[in-house]
């Protein structure tokens, strides 16, 4: 139970206690604890914060300064009694001090000055804005309950009570339709916010803006025509137009938006507005094309971003006419694709069709085709149809990706595109020894000699990287030599004995890969022992 300082027993034994003390007030007595033998003194610890303390010999709990609810609302202390040697006799007991808030903070607006905008002739009850104020005192108490009020309005025309503020929410509203920009374009309000003790005033400026009751009017109803080449760059200004608006300058009621109302379904043109002068600049927005649209019959409208007031509508004064003639420019042929890509096996027959390219001339002239960059003379193109054929045998091992330029020409213009032909590998190369080996063995042999050989294949190794090694099936070779595989690409060749004469020997070796079709190759190595290797593709 919490004891108020105004209604408590000022002395008593040491025990858990709660106190409720108003903030402020300076130095004050709180309570005196009585000692019980053998206790001779008291000690307080905890959240004293330099404000709360106890007199050790007398047990008087006191404030040596002012409490502040806004800084700390609750202080928790532990109090104990001590004997002559400083040992605890009783406690520690919890002493809790609750700080009571008093109304010691004025309300504050979140802005020094507020500005609002309202259209003339707006409906009564229209919101202009909301004023926000706060109070540092305890929430949901009378200390922090705020009330808003308009203290003054300048000028007080055509009436002194044109505005109203909701006292609980701070919402500023109109009270009538009496606002007229021609009578007063600005109002200065003094708004008061108050709690039970304090009050604060801020300034509010309300600007009355014109309603959109005037439509834009073009200076000309017809801007006649202009002739431009179809090659005119995008972004070029082809016409300047002007309309005027009688509403208040610098507002959405007077700013003019120009648009193509008719005659431009593909947005070929665009109109930019100078915000200072309302002058319009008609620009090319997309590439012109004489062949597609040689003439544009345009109807241009002028409107405002703000809606017109009820009863006012745009009419023919806000429209103008303009015609654009587009002249032809000889253009080069246009390919259907920027890059053509094909893929074939390297062993396709000569005169095989590998790709058809297509181009058209915008003016309708006949297009003829040719190749450029065909350094290997592998391709030819039909100059009339754009069909590309093989002109000679292809070879992936020479060039896996073959790139040429295709040229499309008409009478005076030409254009290019790229044709990329990827060649798929076929097994058209026999396995070979990876290098030219020196003589393998020297006479006389001592036994245990062996030669390390490696096989290779010019075909794509992704598929044909495994080789097998063997000797030809004849009695002399098998009696004198043996071969053993080391890994997928290497083997050892070694003599079976040391009883060789000093002369050159031929050792036929067969190397197989996993490709198709089967192929065969031979290589001769000379030395004391002469090695002849025969290669065969192996069909697994």
């Amino acid at each position: 139970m919490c004891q108020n300082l105004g209604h408590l027993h000022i002395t008593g034994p040491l025990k858990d206690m709660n106190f409720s003390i108003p903030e402020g007030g300076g130095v004050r007595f709180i309570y005196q604890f009585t000692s019980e033998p053998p206790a001779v003194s008291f000690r307080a610890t905890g959240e004293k914060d330099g404000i709360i303390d106890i007199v050790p010999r007398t047990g008087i709990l006191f404030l040596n300064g002012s409490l502040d609810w806004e800084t700390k609302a609750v202080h928790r202390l532990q109090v104990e009694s001590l004997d002559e040697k400083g040992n605890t006799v009783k406690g520690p007991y919890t002493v809790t001090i609750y700080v009571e808030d008093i109304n010691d903070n004025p309300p504050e607006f979140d802005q020094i000055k507020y500005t609002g905008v309202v259209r003339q002739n707006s409906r009564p009850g229209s919101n202009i804005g909301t004023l926000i104020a706060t109070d540092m005192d305890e929430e949901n108490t009378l200390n922090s309950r705020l009330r808003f009020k308009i203290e003054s309005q300048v000028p007080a025309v055509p009436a002194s009570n044109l505005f109203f503020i909701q006292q609980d929410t701070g919402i500023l509203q109109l009270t009538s339709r009496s606002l007229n920009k021609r009578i007063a374009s600005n109002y200065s309000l003094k708004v008061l916010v108050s709690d039970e003790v304090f009050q604060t005033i801020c300034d509010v400026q309300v600007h009355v803006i014109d309603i959109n009751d005037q439509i834009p009017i073009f200076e000309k109803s017809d801007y006649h025509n202009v002739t431009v080449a179809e090659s005119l760059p995008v972004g070029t200004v082809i016409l300047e137009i002007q309309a005027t608006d009688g509403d208040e300058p610098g507002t959405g009621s007077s700013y003019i938006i120009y648009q193509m109302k008719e005659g431009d379904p593909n947005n070929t043109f665009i109109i930019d507005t100078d915000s200072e002068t309302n002058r319009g600049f008609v620009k090319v927005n997309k590439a012109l094309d004489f062949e597609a649209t040689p003439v544009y019959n345009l109807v241009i409208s002028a409107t405002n971003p703000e809606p017109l007031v009820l009863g006012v509508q745009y009419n023919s004064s806000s429209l103008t006419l303009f015609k654009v003639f587009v002249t032809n420019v000889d253009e080069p042929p246009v390919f259907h694709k920027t890059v053509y890509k094909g893929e074939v096996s390297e062993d396709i027959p000569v005169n095989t069709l590998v790709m058809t390219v297509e181009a058209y001339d915008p003016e309708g002239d006949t297009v003829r085709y040719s190749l450029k960059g065909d350094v290997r003379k592998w391709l030819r193109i039909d100059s009339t149809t754009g069909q590309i054929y093989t002109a000679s045998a292809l070879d992936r091992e020479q060039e896996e990706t073959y790139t040429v330029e295709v040229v499309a020409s008409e009478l005076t213009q030409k254009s290019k595109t790229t044709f990329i032909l990827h060649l798929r590998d076929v097994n058209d190369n026999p396995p070979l020894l990876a290098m030219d080996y020196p003589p393998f063995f020297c006479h006389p042999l001592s036994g245990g000699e062996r030669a390390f050989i490696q096989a290779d294949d010019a075909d794509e190794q992704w598929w044909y990287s495994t080789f097998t090694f063997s000797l030809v099936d004849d009695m002399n070779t098998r009696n004198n030599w043996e071969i053993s595989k080391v890994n997928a690409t290497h083997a050892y060749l070694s003599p079976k004995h040391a009883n060789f004469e000093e002369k050159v020997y031929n050792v036929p070796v067969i190397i197989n890969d996993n490709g198709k079709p089967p192929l065969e190759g031979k290589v001769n190595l000379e030395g004391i022992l002469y090695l002849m290797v025969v290669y065969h593709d192996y069909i697994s």
Side-chain angles (χ1 to χ4, degrees), residues 108-177:
E108 295 181 359
F109 284 99
D110 70 338
Q111 295 178 208
I112 298 175
K113 184 178 181 180
Y114 289 84
T115 300
V117 175
V118 62
R119 291 191 184 88
Q120 64 178 3
N121 293 330
S122 294
R123 295 191 304 272
S126 297
N127 288 347
I128 301 172
T130 301
L131 279 66
I132 299 174
T134 56
D135 193 305
M136 292 293 293
D137 291 315
E138 187 174 3
E139 289 186 47
N140 303 318
T141 67
L142 292 177
N143 293 339
S144 61
R145 183 180 180 183
L146 304 182
R147 293 288 184 267
F148 295 89
K149 178 184 177 182
I150 297 176
E151 284 287 290
S152 65
Q153 168 198 309
V154 178
V157 292
S160 61
N161 59 342
L162 299 176
F163 305 95
F164 168 77
I165 192 166
Q166 295 184 15
Q167 67 171 1
D168 292 322
T169 63
I171 297 175
L172 184 62
Q173 298 174 306
L174 285 177
T175 58
S176 69
R177 289 182 178 270

Side-chain angles (χ1 to χ4, degrees), residues 59-133:
I60 294 175
L61 187 66
F62 67 99
L63 300 177
N64 59 21
S66 295
L67 297 173
D68 183 14
W69 179 89
E70 287 75 22
T71 302
K72 193 164 189 175
V74 180
H75 296 262
R76 293 178 172 84
L77 288 75
Q78 291 74 44
V79 179
E80 56 189 334
S81 61
L82 310 173
D83 61 18
E84 289 281 359
K85 296 182 179 181
N87 298 317
T88 300
V89 177
K90 292 184 67 175
Y93 289 96
T94 299
V95 175
T96 304
I97 296 175
Y98 295 93
V99 183
E100 297 175 5
D101 181 45
I102 64 173
N103 196 347
D104 58 350
N105 290 282
E108 295 181 359
F109 284 99
D110 70 338
Q111 295 178 208
I112 298 175
K113 184 178 181 180
Y114 289 84
T115 300
V117 175
V118 62
R119 291 191 184 88
Q120 64 178 3
N121 293 330
S122 294
R123 295 191 304 272
S126 297
N127 288 347
I128 301 172
T130 301
L131 279 66
I132 299 174

Side-chain angles (χ1 to χ4, degrees), residues 496-514:
K496 283 188 172 181
H497 55 83
N499 300 322
F500 286 91
E501 298 179 9
E502 184 176 0
K503 68 176 184 178
V504 175
Y505 290 85
N506 295 330
V507 184
V509 176
I510 300 172
I511 306 176
N512 301 317
D513 66 14
N514 293 319

Side-chain angles (χ1 to χ4, degrees), residues 440-449 495 497-503 505 528-529:
F440 286 126
F441 307 109
C442 294
H443 189 274
L445 298 179
S446 59
E449 290 90 346
H497 55 83
N499 300 322
F500 286 91
E501 298 179 9
E502 184 176 0
K503 68 176 184 178
Y505 290 85
I528 296 299
L529 302 179

Side-chain angles (χ1 to χ4, degrees), residues 134-360:
T134 56
D135 193 305
M136 292 293 293
D137 291 315
E138 187 174 3
E139 289 186 47
N140 303 318
T141 67
L142 292 177
N143 293 339
S144 61
R145 183 180 180 183
L146 304 182
R147 293 288 184 267
F148 295 89
K149 178 184 177 182
I150 297 176
E151 284 287 290
S152 65
Q153 168 198 309
V154 178
V157 292
S160 61
N161 59 342
L162 299 176
F163 305 95
F164 168 77
I165 192 166
Q166 295 184 15
Q167 67 171 1
D168 292 322
T169 63
I171 297 175
L172 184 62
Q173 298 174 306
L174 285 177
T175 58
S176 69
R177 289 182 178 270
S178 302
L179 295 185
N180 188 317
K181 181 176 175 62
R182 294 173 179 83
I183 297 175
S185 61
N186 290 283
Y187 289 91
S188 295
L189 308 178
K190 297 288 186 183
V191 177
L192 175 74
V193 63
S194 59
D195 59 21
E196 292 295 317
V197 176
F198 301 98
Q199 62 183 29
T200 304
I201 293 177
C202 81
D203 294 321
V204 179
Q205 293 291 319
V206 179
H207 300 288
V208 182
I209 62 174
D210 189 18
I211 58 175
N212 193 9
D213 57 358
Q214 303 290 320
I215 64 171
I217 298 176
F218 274 104
E219 63 177 4
K220 297 179 182 179
S221 61
D222 192 334
Y223 280 87
H224 303 297
N225 61 73
V226 67
T227 300
V228 297
E230 65 177 334
S231 59
L232 195 67
V234 170
T236 302
V237 176
I238 61 173
L239 177 70
E240 294 185 19
I241 57 178
Q242 183 72 64
T244 57
D245 193 300
D247 290 310
E248 182 182 1
T251 68
S253 298
S254 63
Y255 180 77
I256 297 176
I257 298 173
Y258 298 102
Q259 292 176 306
M260 296 297 176
K261 185 177 179 64
E262 296 177 14
D264 187 21
N266 297 319
N267 299 317
T268 304
F269 304 97
I270 192 172
I271 308 175
D272 292 338
T273 302
D274 185 321
S275 59
E276 297 293 331
T277 64
N278 267 338
R279 194 162 186 80
F281 301 88
V282 182
K283 298 180 180 180
V284 178
N285 186 46
K286 295 180 180 178
L288 301 174
D289 187 351
F290 169 82
E291 289 73 25
T293 311
V295 180
Y296 292 88
N297 292 296
L298 305 174
V299 178
I300 302 174
S301 67
T303 59
N304 304 125
E306 286 290 332
L308 296 170
V309 298
L310 190 64
V312 178
Q313 294 181 338
Y314 297 106
N315 56 40
S316 60
S317 298
S318 298
L319 299 175
T320 191
L321 304 177
F322 178 49
K323 183 175 289 188
V324 179
F325 293 101
V326 181
T327 59
N328 187 36
V329 175
D330 189 17
E331 298 167 281
V334 179
F335 281 97
H336 288 181
K337 296 180 181 179
T338 56
V339 177
Y340 289 83
K341 295 181 179 181
E343 184 176 337
V344 296
S345 294
E346 62 175 324
D347 62 343
I348 60 173
V350 174
N351 291 324
T352 299
L353 176 66
V354 295
M355 179 59 65
T356 300
V357 299
E358 294 181 89
Y360 68 93

